[in-house]
Amino acid sequence: MDTYELRGAHIGPQTIVEITGDRHAALVKARHYLIDAGNFERRYELMMGNFLAFEEFCAVSHLRNEMRMDWGYESGDALIMEANRHIINVFTSGKTYVDQVVRDFKFFGESGAFANKVRELASAAYDGAFDYRMTCQLRDRAQHRALPVDGYDGAKDEIGFYAAKAKITADRGTFKNSILDESPDKIYLRTTLRGYMQKLSGIHVALRRLVQSEVDSSRALISAAITEYGQAQNAQRQVSSTGIGLESVHYRDLAAVGAVPLLLNWDDNRIRLAEKNRYMISFAPNSLA
């Protein structure tokens, strides 16, 4: 015989709350849904972290060069190597985000509404934004042909790292001619990556909106179980408000065959990340020289 209970995973007196099998299954699903939602937010945060690290590198490098006036070959070579490292990190985390976000919400399925929305938004970004198309091509070039930075020049407010159209043309590989036809002679990578990241942030905000009701209801379901168990206890001071130690347990013939922890404090970080990244990023017009 199958039975289901809310109980604390501890030794000592407690009032056990019996629940239905359907409610246990819903709690299992809710926990997995919150795990997926947390992975979704962390994947985006990783990508944003790499992008912000590149932005900070550009700003600091410009300031150092303005102060030191060091334009020697050795320092210039080191600058390009460091720029390549940052840019490849952005390329990789951006590609990882788009490829893996489809699988983040497993309960929607890889061919369900969420996956279809990912493909729709990514396709629209590619078709509608030159910076997005160019970044995809430069990333493929960096993987198979050459490092992304071909050189840099000094401008009033920044060091302008660029990929040279002439070098890409001379060793084109699979680089699309249609995108080269759109390109200036110098493809400034900071500007290009800003446009790319702006599109990816819009995708993320749209995807969060798509799953928000399911995420909120999943947290509410677990929170209600924590509250119900706490209200059933005689010693209220011993009950965790975040569900630490609380489990929904499946028994078969009095033997536990499955248990899901119902604590929620680990999910608070997902909420903080979602709040931090709640808006699509934007840049002031002509913010780069």
Side-chain angles (χ1 to χ4, degrees):
M1 178 181 177
D2 292 313
T3 57
Y4 304 88
E5 297 176 350
L6 299 178
R7 62 172 301 149
H10 61 268
I11 298 174
Q14 62 174 303
T15 302
I16 293 172
V17 178
E18 293 187 6
I19 61 173
T20 64
D22 287 344
R23 188 176 180 191
H24 173 78
L27 289 168
V28 172
K29 182 176 180 179
R31 175 173 166 80
H32 283 294
Y33 213 94
L34 292 182
I35 291 171
D36 290 345
N39 291 337
F40 170 70
E41 296 296 347
R42 283 188 288 273
R43 198 183 313 284
Y44 180 78
E45 180 70 6
L46 171 65
M47 179 176 63
M48 282 298 301
N50 283 328
F51 172 66
L52 291 174
F54 175 59
E55 284 281 331
E56 290 171 3
F57 163 75
C58 290
V60 170
S61 296
H62 172 70
L63 179 61
R64 285 176 175 168
N65 279 282
E66 287 290 295
M67 294 175 66
R68 296 174 181 172
M69 301 298 290
D70 181 4
W71 301 98
Y73 176 81
E74 183 177 350
S75 58
D77 190 52
L79 190 65
I80 288 177
M81 285 193 294
E82 186 72 0
N84 276 319
R85 181 176 70 83
H86 282 289
I87 291 166
I88 289 173
N89 283 344
V90 177
F91 285 168
T92 301
S93 56
K95 176 66 171 172
T96 298
Y97 177 86
V98 174
D99 287 351
Q100 296 184 11
V101 74
V102 172
R103 294 188 291 275
D104 271 338
F105 290 93
K106 301 174 185 64
F107 285 103
F108 273 170
E110 292 188 34
S111 60
F114 184 81
N116 290 337
K117 190 65 173 179
V118 173
R119 287 186 277 268
E120 174 192 325
L121 292 170
S123 179
Y126 187 93
D127 292 340
F130 168 75
D131 289 332
Y132 193 98
R133 292 192 296 276
M134 176 55 71
T135 298
C136 292
Q137 293 296 299
L138 290 172
R139 181 186 62 239
D140 291 345
R141 177 183 181 237
Q143 287 179 320
H144 303 293
R145 313 298 291 190
L147 292 171
V149 180
D150 292 319
Y152 67 90
D153 52 28
K156 180 180 179 181
D157 296 319
E158 71 158 334
I159 297 174
F161 299 102
Y162 63 82
K165 181 177 180 178
K167 286 192 174 183
I168 297 172
T169 303
D171 185 25
R172 187 174 64 84
T174 59
F175 207 105
K176 293 183 179 180
N177 275 322
S178 59
I179 295 177
L180 273 177
D181 290 343
E182 299 179 82
S183 306
D185 291 336
K186 291 181 178 180
I187 305 156
Y188 285 99
L189 294 163
R190 191 178 183 190
T191 302
T192 301
L193 287 179
R194 282 187 171 192
Y196 174 69
M197 288 299 302
Q198 191 167 19
K199 287 296 181 182
L200 284 180
S201 72
I203 289 173
H204 188 75
V205 169
L207 292 177
R208 185 192 295 122
R209 190 180 303 120
L210 178 66
V211 301
Q212 192 66 56
S213 62
E214 288 284 353
V215 173
D216 290 344
S217 63
S218 293
R219 185 174 172 105
L221 188 67
I222 294 176
S223 181
I226 295 170
T227 299
E228 181 179 350
Y229 175 81
Q231 290 174 344
Q233 306 311 302
N234 295 323
Q236 297 293 325
R237 66 183 181 276
Q238 298 178 5
V239 179
S240 169
S241 62
T242 59
I244 293 176
L246 178 62
E247 294 180 333
S248 178
V249 187
H250 174 197
Y251 291 92
R252 181 165 296 151
D253 297 328
L254 303 180
V257 295
V260 57
L262 299 181
L263 71 164
L264 276 178
N265 57 346
W266 61 273
D267 185 56
D268 293 343
N269 193 51
R270 186 265 309 169
I271 295 174
R272 284 190 291 268
L273 289 175
E275 177 65 17
K276 174 185 175 184
N277 298 315
R278 65 190 182 278
Y279 298 125
M280 175 180 173
I281 61 174
S282 61
F283 302 94
N286 302 318
S287 58
L288 296 179

